[in-house]
Amino acid sequence: MKPIQTFTVAPALPERLKSLPDLAYNLRWAWDYDSRSLFRRLDRHLWESSGHNPVLMLGRIDQHKLEAAVEDPGFVAHYERVRAALDGYMNDPRTWYHRETGAQNHLCVAYFSAEFAIAECLPIYSGGLGVLAGDHLKSASDLGLPLVSVGLLYQKGYFRQYLNADGWQQEARADKDFHTLPVRPVLRDGQPLTVRVPLGSKEITARIWLAQVGRVPLYLLDTNVPDNRPEEREITAQLYGGERDMRIRQEILLGIGGIRALETLGIEPEVCHMNEGHTAFLALERIRRLMQREGLNFAEALAAARAGHVFTTHTPVPAGNDYFSPALVEHYFHAYWPHLGLDRDTFLALGRRHPDDSFEEFCMTVLALNLSNHNNAVSRLHESVSRDMWAGLWPEAPRAELPISHVTNGVHAESWVSHDLTHLLDNYLGPAWRSRTGDADAW
């Protein structure tokens, strides 16, 4: 007989430890050793078996462990210290950004990426792009930057590798229960908040989730909802899964759906940062909204929107960029480009090196470069490589004046420096090294 209903039984938190879920759902613990050691101290074995996931851990912990912890003065003191540190961090008005710009600056920047590496237990990343994006959010949080971020919440994440008994590499994917991850559904009037996203001649529904990364909210879209058909629910099944058809649907959801999600949340970013070409469709949606709201034509709306578009390209070889066939783009955008006042050929030209070549594929990097005010590579050498790759987009411009600069990739220091070395640096340099790692005077 099939089960009629599934129940999840969670332990009851003692009143004195009632803020443990708040500590678990703010991903600052991913780079704060004292927070992680608190959960490890609560139940070391469960911390390891849960994959260093405090949300899952709090749902599975033995009630006796909690009752023992609340009677342990050392643990309670540790808990109070971590709670006070998070409260102080979240409410500190003296961040770097506040000092540099003053309290009257109301800038809002939206950072879009297909993957984010925040913590191992939130597997919405595969490699370097995700690590960069995750460290970007952590650093923005520490600096107090007015940043919000947008991505996708993948049901299976990215595959895990393991060796079988014969020593052969295997790949495994496992469905994730979002309710045991450090993410929460965004609610309105007690109901999950959703957004409608155009996909060809129809619309799909995406639910909005929130992962709180220190001070930075990361909004994640999920299409695995009852309103969608099975093939539509699979759009957010796995990171970089499927063929080009799946990839373009994921990128429409991320770019166009992401802008609509921010609008639904009441967030109006002045600047949108596209981390790699996967996100470039957001530029089209911002242009469409300006045309609709301000009564502008496409050229006018493009000029206005482009001023707030920043694009980072990561790929040093042409084959590493996303390309879609004209037929595939037409399938998904034939009902969309009339809202931009464009015909088929003019729309496809936005993503082509050679606008008049009707057989050339549509390139997401070209689209982003054409619609952004500022473009950057990820190192000085990569700037040179990128200028060589994309020089044809500006045939009249001298190479030295091509609109591609560089910002060298960095890391979030506290995520990568060991606890022992962190303790040593704190003792000899003071806490300034944490926020001034690129400042020679701090060292």
Side-chain angles (χ1 to χ4, degrees):
M1 178 183 294
K2 293 184 178 180
I4 298 174
Q5 180 69 49
T6 299
F7 294 93
T8 299
V9 180
L13 288 173
E15 180 65 21
R16 200 168 182 185
L17 302 179
K18 64 180 181 180
S19 292
L20 277 175
D22 295 331
L23 300 178
Y25 277 104
N26 190 313
L27 282 150
R28 180 173 176 265
W29 58 258
W31 69 94
D32 181 66
Y33 178 84
D34 207 24
S35 299
R36 294 196 304 277
S37 65
L38 176 71
F39 290 106
R40 186 184 298 112
R41 182 175 183 170
L42 189 59
D43 188 328
R44 180 179 294 273
H45 174 72
L46 187 55
W47 172 253
E48 296 298 333
S49 64
S50 68
H52 302 168
N53 179 353
V55 173
L56 179 59
M57 179 182 170
L58 290 179
R60 292 182 175 178
I61 194 166
D62 191 290
Q63 188 68 43
H64 297 299
K65 293 275 188 178
L66 293 172
E67 293 169 357
V70 81
E71 296 299 327
D72 179 354
F75 180 86
V76 172
H78 189 174
Y79 162 78
E80 295 291 352
R81 182 174 71 245
V82 171
R83 186 179 70 167
L86 179 61
D87 288 343
Y89 179 87
M90 295 297 290
N91 299 303
D92 186 0
R94 300 163 297 168
T95 64
W96 173 89
Y97 183 80
H98 183 275
R99 294 196 307 270
E100 293 292 316
T101 65
Q104 302 306 312
N105 190 301
H106 299 295
L107 175 70
C108 178
V109 178
Y111 183 81
F112 285 64
S113 182
E115 49 177 300
F116 291 91
I118 309 295
E120 182 183 2
C121 66
L122 188 59
I124 55 172
Y125 63 95
S126 68
L129 182 71
V131 171
L132 170 82
D135 280 19
H136 191 98
L137 299 195
K138 296 174 186 178
S139 299
S141 174
D142 286 349
L143 294 170
L145 301 183
L147 193 77
V148 299
S149 45
V150 180
L152 302 181
L153 187 56
Y154 305 99
Q155 192 78 45
K156 295 181 174 64
Y158 198 63
F159 66 79
R160 288 180 176 270
Q161 295 173 317
Y162 68 96
L163 299 178
N164 65 14
D166 298 319
W168 290 97
Q169 177 181 298
Q170 304 290 309
E171 298 175 0
R173 301 182 188 269
D175 286 339
K176 301 298 179 183
D177 179 1
F178 295 161
H179 295 283
T180 64
L181 296 179
V183 298
R184 283 172 163 160
V186 179
L187 303 178
R188 180 169 291 171
D189 298 326
Q191 297 299 316
L193 189 60
T194 60
V195 63
R196 300 286 288 172
V197 184
L199 208 62
S201 56
K202 58 187 176 182
E203 288 188 330
I204 60 171
T205 300
R207 180 167 41 190
I208 306 172
W209 297 77
L210 171 65
Q212 190 66 41
V213 186
R215 299 183 179 103
V216 174
L218 168 57
Y219 295 105
L220 300 166
L221 301 181
D222 157 38
T223 62
N224 188 16
V225 298
D227 289 351
N228 293 331
R229 296 185 301 178
E231 63 271 22
E232 296 163 350
R233 298 176 70 161
E234 287 292 308
I235 293 175
T236 52
Q238 61 190 56
L239 173 62
Y240 302 143
E243 302 298 328
R244 289 191 183 188
D245 183 74
M246 177 60 75
R247 180 69 65 89
I248 195 172
R249 287 191 285 166
Q250 288 185 335
E251 296 182 5
I252 291 170
L253 175 65
L254 176 59
I256 296 176
I259 290 294
R260 294 192 178 191
L262 292 180
E263 182 181 21
T264 300
L265 291 161
I267 299 172
E268 289 285 342
E270 285 81 11
V271 177
C272 286
H273 187 160
M274 302 174 237
N275 189 40
E276 192 56 288
H278 313 305
T279 63
F281 289 137
L282 75 84
L284 296 174
E285 180 65 5
R286 292 190 84 216
I287 291 169
R288 185 198 66 80
R289 291 177 66 238
L290 274 174
M291 293 175 66
Q292 181 184 59
R293 189 171 56 193
E294 306 295 337
L296 306 177
N297 62 35
F298 179 81
E300 294 167 338
L302 169 58
R306 177 188 275 148
H309 291 164
V310 176
F311 171 57
T312 297
T313 177
H314 294 260
T315 309
V317 293
N321 297 274
D322 277 344
Y323 291 87
F324 300 117
S325 70
L328 191 60
V329 175
E330 182 173 9
H331 174 74
Y332 285 108
F333 283 93
H334 69 275
Y336 187 86
W337 61 55
H339 296 289
L340 299 173
L342 302 179
D343 57 27
R344 175 185 183 277
D345 292 339
T346 307
F347 183 89
L348 290 172
L350 296 172
R352 287 172 167 166
R353 291 171 181 260
H354 310 96
D356 297 328
D357 184 348
S358 60
F359 295 100
E360 183 179 340
E361 292 194 310
F362 187 92
C363 177
M364 295 297 287
T365 301
V366 173
L367 178 68
L369 290 169
N370 279 332
L371 301 184
S372 296
N373 184 59
H374 181 84
N375 308 295
N376 71 272
V378 292
S379 71
R380 188 181 301 277
L381 176 59
H382 187 224
E383 174 190 304
S384 178
V385 172
S386 297
R387 287 185 172 189
D388 288 341
M389 284 175 58
W390 307 112
L393 296 178
W394 304 278
E396 306 299 324
R399 187 182 182 283
E401 297 179 13
L402 294 179
I404 301 177
S405 61
H406 77 274
V407 177
T408 300
N409 272 354
V411 298
H412 178 255
E414 285 193 75
S415 295
W416 297 97
V417 177
S418 72
H419 174 63
D420 290 341
L421 188 54
T422 296
H423 183 66
L424 184 69
L425 294 174
D426 283 344
N427 283 342
Y428 283 92
L429 301 179
W433 73 270
R434 298 167 182 258
S435 59
R436 298 173 60 193
T437 51
D439 185 348
D441 291 338
W443 296 97

